[in-house]
């Protein structure tokens, strides 16, 4: 059964965040390990647009989290926590956050994107041109790089897809080059 069909069944063909019934699609909750239904939600275009574009957020739209934060499905809880954290300065989202409980693994997943951290504490990854890199972005190498601990050389122009960010060091990202997971310094990449 396809992920979309499984999510439609799980959610009764409603957005798992706001319960809208139109323009629904699968939204993968990053960072993913295996993909699939356990790392995805069914969400409407409005919710997805506001999740991905913080400048488009309509605070009142997210009052729906009062209900959806109690979902039994972990990816829904993760997105609810992230949005409440993003909006907590408005007052009522902080009250909902205070009521919410996530186990240790779920909380680590929710925090993996840096949502909820104070801006001054956030580690921001930038490419060689100063463009902000996000988890899951694709980058291209701008020079040949020797890979420590192997004889491999990652060639200039190599695309690295679905990068992961090191949340403790703004200069490091991870990605696969020629099937090998390597750490890359951000000054040697350009976002595609």
């Amino acid at each position: 059964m396809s992920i979309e069909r499984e999510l439609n069944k799980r959610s009764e063909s409603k957005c798992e965040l706001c319960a809208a019934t139109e323009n629904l699609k699968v939204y993968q909750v990053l960072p993913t390990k295996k993909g699939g239904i356990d790392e995805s939600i069914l969400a409407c275009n409005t919710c997805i647009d506001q999740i991905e574009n913080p400048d488009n957020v309509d605070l009142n739209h997210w009052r729906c989290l009062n209900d959806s934060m109690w979902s039994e499905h972990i990816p829904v809880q993760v997105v609810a926590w992230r949005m409440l954290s993003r909006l907590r300065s408005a007052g009522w989202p902080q009250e909902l956050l205070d009521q919410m409980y996530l186990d240790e693994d779920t909380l680590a997943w929710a925090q993996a994107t840096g949502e909820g951290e104070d801006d001054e504490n956030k580690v921001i990854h930038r490419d060689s041109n100063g463009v902000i890199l996000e988890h899951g972005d694709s980058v291209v190498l701008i020079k040949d790089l020797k890979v420590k601990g192997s004889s491999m050389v990652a060639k200039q122009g190599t695309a690295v897809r679905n990068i992961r960010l090191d949340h403790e060091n703004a200069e490091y990202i991870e990605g696969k080059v020629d099937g090998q997971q390597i750490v890359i310094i951000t000054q040697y990449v350009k976002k595609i």
Side-chain angles (χ1 to χ4, degrees):
M1 187 182 287
S2 77
I3 293 175
E4 188 169 5
R5 252 187 277 149
E6 288 182 55
L7 287 173
N8 268 305
K9 185 176 178 184
R10 177 175 92 184
S11 69
E12 300 174 354
S13 299
K14 295 178 185 168
C15 174
E16 293 185 273
L17 299 170
C18 74
T21 56
E22 294 183 15
N23 301 318
L24 302 176
K25 52 187 180 179
V26 176
Y27 178 76
Q28 265 197 326
V29 182
L30 298 176
T32 59
K33 292 181 182 164
K34 301 177 210 160
I37 190 168
D38 294 332
E39 296 181 349
S40 303
I41 63 171
L42 192 67
C44 66
N45 283 341
T46 303
C47 286
I48 292 171
D49 177 56
Q50 293 186 38
I51 290 167
E52 294 179 343
N53 301 300
D55 296 337
N56 296 348
V57 170
D58 171 11
L59 185 63
N60 285 324
H61 174 79
W62 293 103
R63 290 192 181 270
C64 62
L65 295 177
N66 192 30
D67 296 324
S68 56
M69 70 185 239
W70 302 110
S71 172
E72 64 187 273
H73 305 292
I74 291 174
V76 178
Q77 295 172 15
V78 167
V79 173
W81 187 91
R82 288 177 182 173
M83 289 308 297
L84 289 170
S85 294
R86 182 184 298 175
L87 304 171
R88 70 176 174 226
S89 63
W92 64 264
Q94 182 62 54
E95 292 172 20
L96 293 180
L97 262 178
D98 292 342
Q99 297 173 34
M100 197 170 186
Y101 170 79
L102 299 179
D103 65 48
E104 199 173 294
D105 292 340
T106 305
L107 183 60
W109 184 17
Q111 292 173 331
T113 59
E115 201 72 64
E117 292 180 15
D118 295 330
D119 285 342
E120 64 267 9
N121 296 336
K122 230 182 225 186
V123 175
I124 298 174
H125 296 75
R126 295 184 186 271
D127 72 1
S128 59
N129 294 328
V131 176
I132 294 176
L133 298 171
E134 306 269 340
H135 182 86
D137 281 347
S138 295
V139 296
V140 66
L141 301 179
I142 60 168
K143 75 177 254 179
D144 289 353
L145 300 174
K146 288 185 178 179
V147 179
K148 287 185 180 176
S150 81
S151 60
M152 184 176 120
V153 175
K155 296 286 185 191
Q156 177 179 349
T158 301
V160 182
R161 305 201 186 292
N162 197 20
I163 63 169
R164 294 179 185 259
L165 306 178
D166 181 327
H167 290 290
E168 294 173 11
N169 190 328
E171 292 184 13
Y172 295 155
I173 60 172
E174 292 182 29
K176 281 193 177 182
V177 175
D178 296 332
Q180 185 176 345
Q181 188 80 12
I182 63 170
V183 174
I184 306 167
I185 298 175
T186 55
Q187 68 184 9
Y188 301 126
V189 300
K190 183 171 71 173
K191 185 174 177 175
I192 301 177

